[in-house]
Amino acid sequence: MQVAALAEPTPRLRQARVALAVSFFLQGTTFALLVTCITDLQKRYGLSDGLLPVFLAAVPILAGVGSIASETLVKRTTARGVLRVVQPALCLTLALTGLGSQLWQLAIALGLFGLLVGALDASMNMLGVGLQHCYGRSIMIGFHAAFSLGGILGAALAALAAHWDTGLPLLFGGAATVLVPAALLVGRHFAGPAELGDAVREAAELAARRIPWKPLLPLCAVMAFAYIADASVSNYSVKYLTDGLHSPADLAKFSYLGYMVAMLLGRAVGDRAVQRFTVLPVVRTGTAVAGAGFLIAVLAPGTWTGVLGFTVLGFGICAIIPQVFAAGGRLFPHASDAAVARLNLFNYVGFLIGSPLVGSLAELSDYRWAFCAPMLLVLAVLPLAPHFLPAPAADRPDLAKAPA
């Protein structure tokens, strides 16, 4: 992603960066609390395995709607203004999700959650892009690492709640009583027009530039495959352990916890690995490790082997997603924001496919066979790996006049 080489960041910009990192952390915690308690939500609302994929698929669809709506709202207000409203509202929605007892109540709560999480994702990343523009160097990976750290906390809290059998109203309601004030407090320190100037507008203009789709399609496929795998773990790893491996509810939460810990550790060393070994070996190794993680989970005889499988998967998948964005930037160095924006659309495509895919296959057979589908899709990244390499100058699409 393009950044402008500017002067040393001011103390106010550093404060805004910390505030946004905390926002990502809170979002990771909120999201992890929800996805690790899907089995608990099923029991509370009497949601059948057949209906579960429908409910889960609705969340990314509405997230896409919320993301688009957020872009319109940001134009009329600011990214800071949208984020300051939607993040506390999302935390309140988490509490509502654990309070109902009827399916229609769950449908409304998850619908609101999807809309708000899409708006939150868009506004957070808009602010992140603006701050990165002001810093003159890449800082976005740190924000996403904060999200992973929040996910670890959320999964750990869910595991403790399951161990002590606290119930969803207390878990989600108690979390919201901390998350909402924290979101309101941190929102006071987000960067606004006074700090960012035209950074957000300039980034949006760059993202609107017309670039050809064809060179990006292999990378779009990789992004979708990676997020299908991620959605499979987020939505069904805990359910697989409880229903498929008959794990205790508290221990089953460690499947997502291990996955998020591995993601965080992998992101901490990923950039150094690329610098030392180059991108192609890192992507190929990460793909093979991710496939091995799925295989371990599929063949797991018990709880801890299943947790190990999803942890190994986290180590593998964490190397792929950031490098998709980097490869898109190399393809279009003069319009990298536009390339990143298009690639990010396949984040939602992956979640939209991944949620119902595993659930539907599990309904037809069982979760062992169901997880074979995302495993094969992840391994399909191997023949696409050469597309991560920089294109020769003669073949660079940004240097050719190609129609958008």
Side-chain angles (χ1 to χ4, degrees):
M1 184 172 296
Q2 290 176 318
V3 289
L6 299 181
E8 185 69 17
T10 65
R12 177 66 185 94
L13 279 177
R14 294 193 186 97
Q15 182 187 55
R17 180 184 179 184
V18 171
L20 187 59
V22 173
S23 179
F24 272 84
F25 175 83
L26 296 176
Q27 165 61 350
T29 304
T30 305
F31 186 75
L33 282 169
L34 182 73
V35 299
T36 54
C37 293
I38 287 175
T39 302
D40 306 270
L41 288 169
Q42 266 195 288
K43 293 177 181 177
R44 181 173 182 83
Y45 288 94
L47 183 63
S48 68
D49 286 344
L51 275 178
L52 180 61
V54 177
F55 276 71
L56 294 179
V59 174
I61 292 174
L62 290 170
V65 175
S67 180
I68 294 170
S70 177
E71 293 179 14
T72 302
L73 290 173
V74 165
K75 291 177 182 178
R76 296 182 177 181
T77 57
T78 62
R80 177 180 63 178
V82 173
L83 182 54
R84 290 182 66 178
V85 172
V86 297
Q87 186 151 46
L90 181 72
C91 299
L92 281 174
T93 303
L94 176 70
L96 292 176
T97 305
L99 292 176
S101 58
Q102 303 295 320
L103 274 181
W104 66 267
Q105 295 171 323
L106 178 62
I108 291 174
L110 287 181
L112 287 172
F113 192 93
L115 286 170
L116 291 169
V117 82
L120 179 61
D121 180 53
S123 55
M124 279 197 310
N125 281 287
M126 286 177 194
L127 275 183
V129 168
L131 281 171
Q132 180 167 271
H133 184 91
C134 292
Y135 263 72
R137 56 186 170 86
S138 177
I139 60 173
M140 287 294 290
I141 292 176
F143 294 137
H144 289 275
F147 176 88
S148 297
L149 188 60
I152 292 169
L153 175 62
L157 289 173
L160 289 173
H163 179 74
W164 294 105
D165 195 24
T166 61
L168 289 181
L170 181 58
L171 173 60
F172 287 178
T177 60
V178 176
L179 292 170
V180 171
L184 291 171
L185 178 63
V186 76
R188 298 172 59 187
H189 303 288
F190 291 147
E195 296 81 25
L196 298 180
D198 292 331
V200 173
R201 180 187 57 78
E202 291 170 3
E205 289 175 354
L206 283 170
R209 291 182 61 172
R210 293 172 65 81
I211 59 174
W213 270 100
K214 186 176 179 181
L216 283 174
L217 290 179
L219 296 175
C220 291
V222 172
M223 181 67 82
F225 295 158
Y227 272 103
I228 286 171
D230 185 78
S232 301
V233 179
S234 299
N235 293 323
Y236 288 104
S237 62
V238 174
K239 187 165 178 59
Y240 168 52
L241 262 67
T242 53
D243 293 5
L245 301 182
H246 308 292
S247 306
D250 54 348
L251 297 183
K253 312 292 186 185
F254 281 89
S255 59
Y256 189 72
L257 177 62
Y259 176 75
M260 293 303 293
V261 169
M263 289 275 281
L264 178 62
L265 295 177
R267 284 171 174 166
V269 301
D271 288 334
R272 294 180 183 177
V274 171
Q275 291 170 6
R276 181 173 181 179
F277 301 108
T278 73
V279 64
L280 192 55
V282 170
V283 170
R284 284 175 170 166
T285 301
T287 301
V289 170
F294 265 125
L295 185 61
I296 293 170
V298 166
L299 299 177
T303 300
W304 292 113
T305 310
V307 170
L308 174 64
F310 291 117
T311 303
V312 172
L313 171 59
F315 274 116
I317 209 75
C318 73
I320 298 173
I321 295 171
Q323 292 309 313
V324 173
F325 290 120
R330 286 191 294 269
L331 270 176
F332 298 96
H334 300 297
S336 60
D337 294 276
V340 168
R342 290 192 179 184
L343 289 168
N344 193 54
L345 291 174
F346 288 81
N347 166 352
Y348 293 111
V349 172
F351 269 101
L352 181 58
I353 296 174
S355 298
L357 176 66
V358 173
S360 300
L361 290 175
E363 184 75 7
L364 295 173
S365 54
D366 58 40
Y367 281 103
R368 291 187 189 273
W369 285 107
F371 274 112
C372 288
M375 178 180 70
L376 293 175
L377 289 174
V378 162
L379 292 175
V381 173
L382 285 173
L384 296 171
H387 291 278
F388 285 81
L389 292 173
D395 298 330
R396 280 257 300 275
D398 64 303
L399 300 180
K401 291 183 179 180

